[in-house]
mmCIF file of all heavy atoms in Angstrom:
data_model
loop_
_atom_site.group_PDB
_atom_site.id
_atom_site.type_symbol
_atom_site.label_atom_id
_atom_site.label_comp_id
_atom_site.label_asym_id
_atom_site.label_seq_id
_atom_site.Cartn_x
_atom_site.Cartn_y
_atom_site.Cartn_z
ATOM 1 N N PHE A 106 8.785 7.536 -3.558
ATOM 2 C CA PHE A 106 9.919 7.336 -2.984
ATOM 3 C C PHE A 106 9.804 7.200 -1.462
ATOM 4 O O PHE A 106 9.187 7.899 -0.849
ATOM 5 C CB PHE A 106 11.028 8.432 -3.149
ATOM 6 C CG PHE A 106 11.277 8.757 -4.664
ATOM 7 C CD1 PHE A 106 10.458 9.722 -5.387
ATOM 8 C CD2 PHE A 106 12.312 8.076 -5.396
ATOM 9 C CE1 PHE A 106 10.772 9.992 -6.682
ATOM 10 C CE2 PHE A 106 12.514 8.337 -6.681
ATOM 11 C CZ PHE A 106 11.774 9.294 -7.438
ATOM 12 N N ARG A 107 10.329 6.087 -0.910
ATOM 13 C CA ARG A 107 10.161 5.672 0.487
ATOM 14 C C ARG A 107 11.368 6.373 1.280
ATOM 15 O O ARG A 107 12.409 5.787 1.503
ATOM 16 C CB ARG A 107 10.173 4.274 0.662
ATOM 17 C CG ARG A 107 8.959 3.630 0.026
ATOM 18 C CD ARG A 107 9.196 2.020 -0.188
ATOM 19 N NE ARG A 107 8.932 1.467 1.048
ATOM 20 C CZ ARG A 107 9.419 0.258 1.366
ATOM 21 N NH1 ARG A 107 10.178 -0.438 0.466
ATOM 22 N NH2 ARG A 107 9.235 -0.342 2.498
ATOM 23 N N VAL A 108 11.158 7.640 1.583
ATOM 24 C CA VAL A 108 12.292 8.406 2.143
ATOM 25 C C VAL A 108 12.773 7.940 3.422
ATOM 26 O O VAL A 108 11.855 7.723 4.395
ATOM 27 C CB VAL A 108 11.865 9.863 2.149
ATOM 28 C CG1 VAL A 108 12.820 10.727 2.787
ATOM 29 C CG2 VAL A 108 11.448 10.552 0.697
ATOM 30 N N GLY A 109 13.955 7.717 3.572
ATOM 31 C CA GLY A 109 14.489 7.090 4.781
ATOM 32 C C GLY A 109 14.972 5.811 4.581
ATOM 33 O O GLY A 109 15.655 5.063 5.501
ATOM 34 N N ALA A 110 14.545 5.067 3.515
ATOM 35 C CA ALA A 110 14.973 3.748 3.195
ATOM 36 C C ALA A 110 16.480 3.616 2.926
ATOM 37 O O ALA A 110 17.126 4.607 2.547
ATOM 38 C CB ALA A 110 14.145 3.180 2.088
ATOM 39 N N PRO A 111 17.058 2.503 2.980
ATOM 40 C CA PRO A 111 18.481 2.420 2.544
ATOM 41 C C PRO A 111 18.613 2.861 1.162
ATOM 42 O O PRO A 111 17.923 2.528 0.234
ATOM 43 C CB PRO A 111 18.787 0.931 2.676
ATOM 44 C CG PRO A 111 17.824 0.353 3.769
ATOM 45 C CD PRO A 111 16.564 1.189 3.508
ATOM 46 N N GLY A 112 19.569 3.779 0.887
ATOM 47 C CA GLY A 112 19.794 4.303 -0.413
ATOM 48 C C GLY A 112 18.901 5.637 -0.646
ATOM 49 O O GLY A 112 19.215 6.409 -1.583
ATOM 50 N N LEU A 113 18.038 5.883 0.316
ATOM 51 C CA LEU A 113 17.346 7.205 0.346
ATOM 52 C C LEU A 113 17.371 7.857 1.745
ATOM 53 O O LEU A 113 16.348 8.412 2.133
ATOM 54 C CB LEU A 113 15.910 6.844 -0.061
ATOM 55 C CG LEU A 113 15.622 6.679 -1.490
ATOM 56 C CD1 LEU A 113 14.094 6.217 -1.677
ATOM 57 C CD2 LEU A 113 15.911 7.944 -2.318
ATOM 58 N N ASP A 114 18.510 7.706 2.398
ATOM 59 C CA ASP A 114 18.579 8.129 3.830
ATOM 60 C C ASP A 114 19.478 9.295 3.970
ATOM 61 O O ASP A 114 19.713 9.640 5.156
ATOM 62 C CB ASP A 114 19.053 6.915 4.656
ATOM 63 C CG ASP A 114 20.303 6.271 4.073
ATOM 64 O OD1 ASP A 114 20.889 6.714 2.995
ATOM 65 O OD2 ASP A 114 20.738 5.315 4.734
ATOM 66 N N THR A 115 19.750 9.930 2.889
ATOM 67 C CA THR A 115 20.591 11.296 3.024
ATOM 68 C C THR A 115 19.907 12.336 2.042
ATOM 69 O O THR A 115 19.465 11.772 0.943
ATOM 70 C CB THR A 115 22.097 11.264 2.751
ATOM 71 O OG1 THR A 115 22.251 10.884 1.393
ATOM 72 C CG2 THR A 115 22.668 10.159 3.704
ATOM 73 N N PRO A 116 20.076 13.550 2.174
ATOM 74 C CA PRO A 116 19.597 14.438 1.171
ATOM 75 C C PRO A 116 20.250 14.206 -0.258
ATOM 76 O O PRO A 116 19.571 14.235 -1.305
ATOM 77 C CB PRO A 116 19.918 15.862 1.651
ATOM 78 C CG PRO A 116 19.892 15.685 3.235
ATOM 79 C CD PRO A 116 20.496 14.222 3.444
ATOM 80 N N ASP A 117 21.476 14.077 -0.278
ATOM 81 C CA ASP A 117 22.164 13.749 -1.521
ATOM 82 C C ASP A 117 21.651 12.538 -2.127
ATOM 83 O O ASP A 117 21.445 12.490 -3.468
ATOM 84 C CB ASP A 117 23.707 13.641 -1.280
ATOM 85 C CG ASP A 117 24.337 15.016 -1.086
ATOM 86 O OD1 ASP A 117 23.563 16.045 -1.247
ATOM 87 O OD2 ASP A 117 25.496 15.007 -0.548
ATOM 88 N N ALA A 118 21.336 11.428 -1.431
ATOM 89 C CA ALA A 118 20.834 10.213 -2.096
ATOM 90 C C ALA A 118 19.452 10.374 -2.546
ATOM 91 O O ALA A 118 19.154 9.921 -3.701
ATOM 92 C CB ALA A 118 20.783 9.028 -0.952
ATOM 93 N N VAL A 119 18.552 11.230 -1.949
ATOM 94 C CA VAL A 119 17.307 11.581 -2.534
ATOM 95 C C VAL A 119 17.443 12.187 -3.773
ATOM 96 O O VAL A 119 16.601 11.957 -4.769
ATOM 97 C CB VAL A 119 16.549 12.289 -1.470
ATOM 98 C CG1 VAL A 119 15.183 12.808 -2.041
ATOM 99 C CG2 VAL A 119 16.176 11.453 -0.229
ATOM 100 N N VAL A 120 18.295 13.205 -3.949
ATOM 101 C CA VAL A 120 18.506 14.129 -5.119
ATOM 102 C C VAL A 120 18.926 13.081 -6.276
ATOM 103 O O VAL A 120 18.371 13.172 -7.330
ATOM 104 C CB VAL A 120 19.432 15.209 -4.914
ATOM 105 C CG1 VAL A 120 19.861 15.777 -6.231
ATOM 106 C CG2 VAL A 120 18.895 16.263 -4.036
ATOM 107 N N LYS A 121 19.863 12.245 -5.945
ATOM 108 C CA LYS A 121 20.488 11.312 -6.915
ATOM 109 C C LYS A 121 19.265 10.382 -7.479
ATOM 110 O O LYS A 121 19.238 10.201 -8.649
ATOM 111 C CB LYS A 121 21.508 10.562 -6.393
ATOM 112 C CG LYS A 121 22.194 9.558 -7.379
ATOM 113 C CD LYS A 121 23.410 8.826 -6.783
ATOM 114 C CE LYS A 121 24.014 7.890 -7.722
ATOM 115 N NZ LYS A 121 25.260 7.164 -7.081
ATOM 116 N N GLU A 122 18.522 9.872 -6.621
ATOM 117 C CA GLU A 122 17.542 8.768 -6.994
ATOM 118 C C GLU A 122 16.403 9.598 -7.710
ATOM 119 O O GLU A 122 15.888 8.985 -8.889
ATOM 120 C CB GLU A 122 17.098 8.111 -5.738
ATOM 121 C CG GLU A 122 16.006 6.956 -6.157
ATOM 122 C CD GLU A 122 16.405 5.843 -6.924
ATOM 123 O OE1 GLU A 122 17.751 5.817 -7.188
ATOM 124 O OE2 GLU A 122 15.623 5.038 -7.444
ATOM 125 N N THR A 123 15.893 10.672 -7.308
ATOM 126 C CA THR A 123 14.837 11.266 -7.974
ATOM 127 C C THR A 123 15.182 11.760 -9.352
ATOM 128 O O THR A 123 14.400 11.778 -10.352
ATOM 129 C CB THR A 123 14.328 12.517 -7.232
ATOM 130 O OG1 THR A 123 15.490 13.395 -6.963
ATOM 131 C CG2 THR A 123 13.672 12.213 -5.818
ATOM 132 N N SER A 124 16.436 12.110 -9.546
ATOM 133 C CA SER A 124 16.920 12.461 -10.831
ATOM 134 C C SER A 124 16.809 11.525 -11.971
ATOM 135 O O SER A 124 16.704 11.793 -13.164
ATOM 136 C CB SER A 124 18.300 13.002 -10.831
ATOM 137 O OG SER A 124 19.207 12.044 -10.374
#
Side-chain angles (χ1 to χ4, degrees):
F106 302 94
R107 300 163 72 205
V108 177
L113 284 170
D114 49 4
T115 69
D117 287 345
V119 172
V120 170
K121 181 178 179 180
E122 182 65 9
T123 55
S124 67

